[in-house]
Amino acid sequence: MTLDVSAKPADLPLRPRRSPIAAGWTWLGVVPFLAFTFLFLIGPVLYLMVGAFQNAEGGFTLDNIIALGSPDIVASFSLSIRLSLVSALMGTIAGLVLAHAVILGGLSPWVRSAFATFSGVASNFAGVPLAFAFIATLGRLGLVTVLLRDLFGINLYSSGFNLFSFYGLSLVYLYFQLPLMFLIIAPALDGLRKEWREAAESLGASRRQYWQMVGLPVLSPTILGCFLLLFANAFGTLATVYALMGSGFDVVPVVLFQQIRGNVLYNPNLGYALALGMVVIMGVSNTLYLILRNRAERWQK
Amino acid sequence: MKKPVPYAAIAIALIGASYFVVPLLATFYFSLKMTRGELGFAAYASVFRSADFAATIVYSTIASLAAIAIGTLVIVPTAYWVRLKVPRLRPLMEFISLLPLIVPPVVLVFGYIRMFGSSSVLPLTASTFGTDILLVLGYVVLSMPYMYRAIDNGLSVIDIATLTEAAESLGASRFRTIVLVIFPNVRAAIISGAFLTFSISLGEFVLASLLNRPAFGPYLVQLGQDRAYEPAALAIMSFAFTWGCMALMQLFAIRKPGQRWFSRSTPRTATGSSA
Amino acid sequence: MSFLTISNAGKVFGATTVVKGFDLSVQKGEFVSFLGPSGCGKTTVLRMIAGFERPTTGSIRIDGRDITDLAANKRRIGMVFQAYALFPNLNVAGNIAFGLRIAGQAASEIDARVDDMLRMIGLAHLGKRYPYELSGGQQQRVALARALAPRPQVLLLDEPLSALDAKIRVSLREEIRAIQRQLGITTVFVTHDQEEAMSISDRIVVMNGGRAEQIGTPFEIYNRPATRFVAGFVGTMNILRARLDRGQPQTITVAGQKLRLAAPPVTQDAQGNLSLALRPEALSLTRAEGHDSTFTGQVQSVNFMGSVVRIRMQVNDELISFDMFNSPNMVPPVIGQTALAHFASRDLFELAA
């Protein structure tokens, strides 16, 4: 059997060549997904965004955006932003301290596993049940409140504490913010290579100098990014607030909720503007989070 | 030289642990106090006896399962297709799958109500069934970041290009390849994502409340306003449920494709007979 | 006068003894390598010098001063790690300047010193780059500059070239040696690559199982291995079992053949068994001057390795390796053919167990 040496390699394709039209067909495969997300995610949100700039007749107007400047709405946004900032700050600091103690503090490895597992669950335990749990703990008849009164003579509520307040709510938020921070910062702490510490030591650095000049700077993109993530997380929370405070606590999601429910004077275009404001704020903070996360990953290479 | 005892770290860990555990203990204790003067499970019994509880749990369960099914049907073929044929689109797909994280549920449902309201092209909210569909689709969207990530991860550990070529060389159409080859191998990833979806959807409040459907979330809020001890019992059950879902999610996430539940009692030989 | 003295150092981790009875005196400006397989304790001794591990027994002195209990950040020791360990948040100049900033030097002094170091490692224009923008070899050079910038008394290198690819390894080790010579700094270099150790060290410490098996110059280690382990670890070595003939003080039977040794052996056991070592380059297919002995056997394999052809020959119950220089005109032996390998009996040397 002789080899056909006359055939050049180019004449013997390994696969049937695809015609140019075929390349277009491959896009069909993602059409269902794109159609779905467009119809049920992007579409509705865009509808609201566009609607924010329309008046009741459908014409272009900036009235709704201007209406966002009314004292009630501004107060709402201010409250939401303040609450989210405080909650994010609490979560960031507490999470960092806890993660550092558990991972780098010289404790047994099972402690870290226990906290990691619990954090996985607790970060999803937001909403109505969480509010119930805290009412049962720190409400007026809550277990801790009663124990403090009966065992230590400390009257929690008369000394100014109130679960159903700004700071009480932040304390409740901490229950799902802290675990989220822990879960995100833990791998970053692992990523602090032992050799950096040793190299710094060999160059004469004390512990504090190492953290100041190497440790914290390396962690800072992750810490900052996580802060933003916690901020966005807190900003969008509704069920927890509603279950704890009822309709009285006017954070932006609750205001929008009431608007939709029709419990207040129904002005759909104002609702659009509120929605726009929410999406913008959350979009900005999440985008910044992603940028910072990429920066942190690049350094770890 | 012995290592010094890390007092500070121990103290911090204890404070953290008590912050997490005390509310659970308090809630559990509170839930046992329904019967005056004694500790008992009366609150739990009351919950289980309630017709509303049964009805809303069933409704939410069905909605969650439907969301899982639809999510799987939409995402699995798409993720497979993208990995196989148009890998350049992967970043776009990932971005889209993460979009629900920046859209709060209240905004999403608002968009639904306006866009699919009675006066629109697709008046889903005009009928009960249409609203149910909208609720389910909303759950699909909310769980999309997690489902897509879980399924994409599951696909990344099997060599779908080679598996597809093998299936094609044996005569399977693209459709049959997906059903007979791809699906079974990402089953664990799907189930893992499913548990997370289940955990999110069951107690979901915002969508269900604003779409006025008899789901578990609104039932919980109503109960919180009406009763004292049953909400505590439900909070404990909810926590246990979330814990169970997370544990099962983890279990399935680390499963390899084709891994058996239990090892075969008798080893199989190549000819199929037991040795 | 020894600059770095390690006396009877030992280290125990839990139930495992990782280092035992380690003694070493290093002169000022000397380049010493610790050579051995994984787990032999070489890195542990290095880390004891650096201060990252505390010796369980023994002491370490530098320039007359006992530093055994001194904290790592006070020892003025420069360390280069296998994984570079450059600080990712600082650029090249920032990394090199780190030790100087800690020491509180003036900014102008620091800048001048950093420029000197950059020039010394040949990366004068890369001061503003960040570690992730550099190749492995460049990162390691920066790590070297960073360690040397604060003028340490001793330079320690922990397998610095293991993570790099072969060509860079060779060129970088020459650079390291050249810089070390130029600065005259006392250096300890840990490696598992014997070619690396032999090519750049003044002296080598061959370690095995936590002990120093032999300390000597590369020539001594290679040509006069003290133990069986050193003979086998450094270079290829033919290790032959021999038996002393009864009644004949210098005649042995090895590989089924009788041989007369150049001198009476001293390491045989009660039955007259002993181990002999013979370097592959001591054997040759052609008889040269001084060759007074011959092994006759069958060629088992011929491996062409570039400049060297390695031939293995079966001589009764021993497999003997020998190398021939490649020559374009030569005809390599054929597998299975009978061949004669000539050598000088004085090149056979005894091995302690």
Side-chain angles (χ1 to χ4, degrees), chain C residues 84-102:
Chain C
Y84 327 135
L86 293 181
F87 305 131
N89 56 311
L90 301 172
N91 61 16
V92 166
N95 266 279
I96 299 178
F98 190 86
L100 307 169
R101 275 171 66 195
I102 298 281

Side-chain angles (χ1 to χ4, degrees), chain B residues 18-248:
Chain B
S18 39
Y19 172 75
F20 283 133
V21 170
V22 165
L24 294 174
L25 289 176
T27 311
F28 185 61
Y29 179 74
F30 198 87
S31 72
L32 297 176
K33 283 174 65 182
M34 180 156 162
T35 332
R36 191 178 288 272
E38 65 179 52
L39 293 177
F41 289 92
Y44 295 87
S46 163
V47 165
F48 283 116
R49 266 201 308 269
S50 146
D52 284 338
F53 172 77
T56 55
I57 276 267
V58 166
Y59 182 87
S60 280
T61 305
I62 296 177
S64 308
L65 291 175
I68 294 168
I70 295 179
T72 307
L73 282 172
V74 172
I75 292 177
V76 171
T78 309
Y80 164 72
W81 192 260
V82 167
R83 270 188 175 267
L84 194 66
K85 287 274 180 250
V86 273
R88 270 177 309 143
L89 283 184
R90 248 187 97 207
L92 176 67
M93 291 298 145
E94 274 183 30
F95 175 72
I96 293 181
S97 76
L98 292 178
L99 277 179
L101 291 176
I102 67 168
V103 179
V106 64
V107 170
L108 187 71
V109 72
F110 189 35
Y112 282 0
I113 293 175
R114 301 306 301 166
M115 193 159 139
F116 301 109
S118 341
S119 50
S120 75
V121 175
L122 191 65
L124 286 174
T125 57
S127 70
T128 313
F129 183 65
T131 318
D132 287 338
I133 304 244
L134 212 50
L135 183 69
V136 168
L137 293 176
Y139 287 170
V140 174
V141 168
L142 285 183
S143 65
M144 197 161 68
Y146 313 100
M147 282 292 271
Y148 197 91
R149 166 83 76 83
I151 290 172
D152 203 41
N153 278 346
L155 282 174
S156 69
V157 295
I158 59 177
D159 185 351
I160 54 173
T162 314
L163 281 180
T164 307
E165 288 180 357
E168 277 183 5
S169 73
L170 291 163
S173 70
R174 196 44 66 75
F175 176 74
R176 292 193 81 184
T177 307
I178 294 184
V179 170
L180 295 175
V181 175
I182 303 298
F183 254 104
N185 277 299
V186 291
R187 207 165 32 198
I190 295 173
I191 296 181
S192 168
F195 276 112
L196 190 57
T197 308
F198 203 58
S199 148
I200 297 174
S201 313
L202 198 71
E204 199 280 330
F205 170 68
V206 179
L207 257 64
S209 168
L210 289 176
L211 288 175
N212 244 317
R213 302 313 299 138
F216 191 57
Y219 163 75
L220 278 179
V221 170
Q222 190 60 43
L223 203 67
Q225 289 165 359
D226 296 342
R227 319 278 304 169
Y229 296 98
E230 283 86 337
L234 277 165
I236 293 294
M237 296 198 297
S238 166
F239 189 81
F241 172 74
T242 309
W243 189 287
C245 279
M246 292 298 116
L248 287 165

